Amino acid sequence: EELTDELQYRYPYIACEVLCTDIYAIYELIFSTDELLNQLIHFWYSDPPLNHLLAGYVNRVFSCFLAKRKPEIISALKGKDDFLDVMLDRIETTHVVDLLVKLIATDDAEVGTIEWMAENNLISKAIAKLENDNNEVT
């Protein structure tokens, strides 16, 4: 069944705005249980291509989380064994690239995002994907 534009876009926009507010209780609620955070992470697992507008909202929420709760969000993402592979499968989405860049930029000794990406061979997998995509075009 088709969702109305209001359900499909307005409510996600409002949810994004609420989740990005600097209200301590909201962050405490989201990070107090794995269930709520996993629902947000699960968006990235949607079948490609991702809806560009919704991906932008989710990316903005993740950006806010990274700014306020970097160790917790990185830990949650690391807990998903295939998260980086899923992101590479959706790399054609601008917001996926943006989130990966933000994750790289958050690296420090506390969270170790670069090590996590290196352990998962992110660069070599990305190059292989580019080579495969290039071969399909020619």
Side-chain angles (χ1 to χ4, degrees):
E1 183 176 321
E2 285 291 315
L3 296 175
T4 65
D5 284 345
E6 183 169 30
L7 287 175
Q8 190 172 6
Y9 299 112
R10 184 172 180 214
Y11 292 151
Y13 168 75
I14 292 170
C16 172
E17 291 298 316
V18 169
L19 291 173
C20 289
T21 59
D22 198 14
I23 298 175
Y24 178 80
I26 291 174
Y27 284 88
E28 283 301 306
L29 177 63
I30 290 171
F31 288 95
S32 67
T33 176
D34 291 340
E35 183 180 342
L36 294 174
L37 189 55
N38 283 334
Q39 286 179 356
L40 287 167
I41 293 171
H42 183 72
F43 170 82
W44 300 114
Y45 287 77
S46 303
D47 291 333
L50 295 174
N51 179 302
H52 185 74
L53 185 60
L54 296 179
Y57 294 152
V58 176
N59 183 41
R60 181 163 177 245
V61 170
F62 273 80
S63 297
C64 292
F65 288 175
L66 282 169
K68 298 294 181 186
R69 297 286 185 101
K70 178 173 56 174
E72 292 101 320
I73 193 71
I74 298 292
S75 177
L77 296 176
K78 286 181 177 180
K80 306 292 181 200
D81 293 334
D82 61 344
F83 181 76
L84 293 174
D85 291 328
V86 168
M87 296 301 274
L88 282 177
D89 289 342
R90 290 145 182 80
I91 199 77
E92 71 280 349
T93 304
T94 307
H95 297 294
V96 168
V97 174
D98 186 56
L99 181 58
L100 288 172
V101 168
K102 287 174 185 169
L103 289 172
I104 291 167
T106 64
D107 185 59
D108 60 27
E110 183 182 8
V111 295
T113 54
I114 299 296
E115 290 90 11
W116 170 51
M117 291 177 175
E119 289 166 2
N120 284 278
N121 301 310
L122 182 70
I123 299 299
S124 59
K125 288 178 182 178
I127 291 170
K129 180 162 179 50
L130 288 172
E131 288 173 347
N132 288 340
D133 288 350
N134 191 35
N135 290 337
E136 290 176 9
V137 171
T138 56

